[in-house]
Amino acid sequence: MKTPQQLLQQTLEVGACLLPDAASGGRTPYPAVFVHGLLGWGARDALYRAVPYWGLAAGDVLGYLNTCGYDCRAASVGIISSAWDRACELYAELTGGTADYGIAHAQRFGHARFGTAYPAPLVPDWGADRPIDLVGHSFGGATARLLLQLLADGCPEEVQAAAAAGETPSPLFTGGKAGWVHALVAIAAPHDGSTFLDVQPDAADALSTLFLGAARALGISAFKGVYDFRLDQFGIRRDDNETFAQALDRVLKSDFLSHNDNAFLDLTIDKSLEINKGIAIQPNVYYFSYAGDQTSTDPLTGNHYPTVSAIPSNGMCALMMPGSVNMGKYYDKYTAGGIYIDQSWLPNDGLVNTVSALYPTTTDKNTTECLKRDGTQGWVNYDGYSDITFRPGIWYVMPATRADHMQFVGGIANKSVIETHLFYRNLMDDIYSTYGSVQPTETPFPFTDVPESRWSYPYIKQLYDAGVVSGTSATTFEPTAVVTRAQFVTMLAGLQGADASAYTSGRFTDVPANAWYAPYVNWAADNGIVYGVSDTEFAPNDEISRQDMAAMLYRYAGQFGIQLGTGNPAITFTDEADIAGYALPAVEGLQRAGVISGMPDGSFRPRDTATREQACVMLCLL
């Protein structure tokens, strides 16, 4: 009879791959364009190479998705511009050219007609034969919705203004292009505005303070010349010698805000609902909406307060807590436009009220509804996992996610690499299912030796659902079986979604080119994740020690831009003297980040072996 270790190796050799099948489901090549939110940045910005907006502390999420077989691109639009200006810039970026804000709009708000130039199209050949999927986070949701509306129905006012001036209007304003967008996804989008702006004496100052705090946490506050406000239409241009703080201070002290053409105004409830009135649900577009709630209800007052967790990344980011506290008790009020704020507005993600992120509504001051053009309800709640056929022309509202506003994009402090990856994998799979392709059905958790009552069940299930780990047989996982060095490296490749097929050779003489683990070991070596037990040997079949697992995981985080938190107080393990010098920084860093905690007796036991379930826990906590 084979030992569990032999069964595990056989499983890996036959099906080796713990990695997701990038080509499964007959996926189409249509691109997904991701639109950042307020104070965000995209791939055209130099900052994106240092800290991707889509991923932040969790590393490059779009890079991960692209290795999984999707086609994802990060747009770059004005960071504090109005929804209109951002939509015009997004169109210019997608097609290549200079942003045309329209004659009528430019005259109304006192800025130039033309602005940011985009030399090359983000999506060449974009059109009805090659539509895109729009994914907007935060204010990116309003940007995407307004772009779609202009594509579909245009703007007669701008067409008339151009004709009167003897000019040619932007093709964006002529309409007839609804078929250029296949699906629209809104993530933590303030469809109906946010009370964050009502509870702050100076909303612009509050948001800039929050942002600067986030920039310091992400280690980018001192960067110069990498942040472009894209306010050329106002005559405000980037100064390569300014830091973030200096640039933001200069812009906010300029006359920019006095033009009333900015994100801060558009994010108020009254202005958001005004914008919504001009945006219809397009009957042939698929809509998905994700809202966040990182608050808990006070049983005595009914107010909502930020969730606090022993693991800082699982609760609300401290930078967002003051705003969240005020939002969580702000109700029984009226906006200047007469909209009543009731208790449904109390749950929030730190910046956006959960109810506002569900779907966009229109209003007649007494009611707020989300309706289709025929007057029927324009949204439906979806449980997030049932096997259904999505229909176009209606908002599918997903269950509220336990996340603060920035955890949706990786977090100011890393929430969880695997949770972030899995969220976007599921999001993309929902979009791709609408293409009519045959999609792989969700497989029930198969391992009979990992019952729900087992302490490691949620971690193993999460990694299994993400395609990072498989079992020792069709129905067993062997959670207490030890892990070899090669197997753990393969898990890391799975976590990254890495395509290791090109890594056919390497420097380790004990890693045969035809071994199932060879591409993954070579991938890890080339990326500085593993150094081997010597210059020429890796010892792939040796059981991995706890300190080596920590060292590999720590190097993996550093290589792929995963920023480890420091929320846990540093502790000194009783056997710290036994931890190898090469592994000590990793053990200390992962302990501060809450990824490892040691043994009940206060030791770390660096040379002990690690089990499969222990490896899964570490990967999930990263």
Side-chain angles (χ1 to χ4, degrees), residues 275-312:
I275 293 171
N276 287 352
K277 288 181 181 180
I279 301 178
I281 295 175
Q282 300 301 321
N284 296 316
V285 175
Y286 294 88
Y287 293 89
F288 300 91
S289 185
Y290 295 84
D293 178 12
Q294 192 62 289
T295 63
S296 302
T297 309
D298 184 328
L300 296 178
T301 65
N303 294 339
H304 280 243
Y305 290 94
T307 302
V308 179
S309 172
I311 301 175

Side-chain angles (χ1 to χ4, degrees), residues 348-404:
N348 65 82
D349 66 10
L351 282 178
V352 174
N353 310 83
T354 306
V355 68
S356 178
L358 299 178
Y359 44 73
T361 68
T362 55
T363 179
D364 60 4
K365 292 190 179 181
N366 295 315
T367 60
T368 52
E369 299 177 286
C370 175
L371 303 176
K372 294 190 277 188
R373 286 181 174 178
D374 62 5
T376 59
Q377 181 171 298
W379 61 275
V380 62
N381 284 324
Y382 173 56
D383 60 20
Y385 60 84
S386 293
D387 185 14
I388 67 170
T389 301
F390 295 115
R391 296 180 289 114
I394 190 166
W395 282 94
Y396 284 91
V397 181
M398 301 296 178
T401 301
R402 200 68 175 163
D404 72 33

Side-chain angles (χ1 to χ4, degrees), residues 21-316:
D21 180 2
S24 65
R27 290 172 174 154
T28 71
Y30 297 154
V33 176
F34 286 67
V35 187
H36 63 77
L38 185 72
L39 294 168
W41 56 94
R44 291 182 187 270
D45 298 295
L47 178 58
Y48 201 92
R49 292 189 289 274
V51 179
Y53 178 86
W54 297 96
L56 291 181
D60 185 4
V61 167
L62 299 196
Y64 163 77
L65 290 174
N66 288 334
T67 63
C68 292
Y70 303 100
D71 182 356
C72 301
R73 311 174 190 203
S76 304
V77 293
I79 66 170
I80 54 176
S81 297
S82 64
W84 179 280
D85 285 6
R86 285 163 56 96
C88 295
E89 289 163 4
L90 182 54
Y91 178 78
E93 182 175 18
L94 287 164
T95 57
T98 300
D100 182 348
Y101 305 109
I103 293 175
H105 179 86
Q107 290 176 345
R108 181 178 300 118
F109 293 104
H111 65 65
R113 174 185 173 183
F114 298 101
T116 300
Y118 298 90
L122 184 61
V123 182
D125 303 320
W126 176 41
D129 294 332
R130 195 187 186 205
I132 60 173
D133 301 312
L134 288 170
V135 181
H137 172 247
S138 190
F139 198 43
T143 307
R145 290 194 296 115
L146 187 51
L147 172 67
L148 173 56
Q149 176 62 34
L150 291 171
L151 287 170
D153 297 336
C155 180
E157 181 187 16
E158 291 297 350
V159 173
Q160 293 167 9
E167 301 282 348
T168 301
S170 165
L172 175 61
F173 302 136
T174 60
K177 305 178 185 67
W180 289 29
V181 174
H182 172 263
L184 191 153
V185 182
I187 304 171
H191 295 302
D192 303 328
S194 172
T195 59
F196 181 91
L197 303 173
D198 296 281
V199 301
Q200 306 293 336
D202 185 335
D205 180 69
L207 284 168
S208 64
T209 299
L210 191 157
F211 170 73
L212 291 173
R216 285 190 290 271
L218 292 167
I220 57 178
S221 59
F223 285 12
K224 294 183 178 181
V226 295
Y227 204 51
D228 191 349
F229 285 80
R230 290 189 168 80
L231 294 174
D232 301 71
Q233 69 272 34
F234 292 96
I236 298 173
R237 292 178 173 81
R238 183 175 65 188
D239 183 339
D240 289 342
N241 294 315
E242 289 180 323
T243 64
F244 280 177
Q246 292 167 337
L248 195 56
D249 183 66
R250 173 172 64 92
V251 171
L252 294 179
K253 288 181 178 178
S254 71
D255 69 345
F256 165 66
L257 294 178
S258 67
H259 289 259
N260 290 328
D261 190 27
N262 59 74
F264 303 113
L265 178 62
D266 283 2
L267 286 166
T268 62
I269 293 172
D270 289 335
K271 187 61 183 293
S272 294
L273 295 175
E274 180 185 330
I275 293 171
N276 287 352
K277 288 181 181 180
I279 301 178
I281 295 175
Q282 300 301 321
N284 296 316
V285 175
Y286 294 88
Y287 293 89
F288 300 91
S289 185
Y290 295 84
D293 178 12
Q294 192 62 289
T295 63
S296 302
T297 309
D298 184 328
L300 296 178
T301 65
N303 294 339
H304 280 243
Y305 290 94
T307 302
V308 179
S309 172
I311 301 175
S313 58
N314 286 347
M316 182 172 288

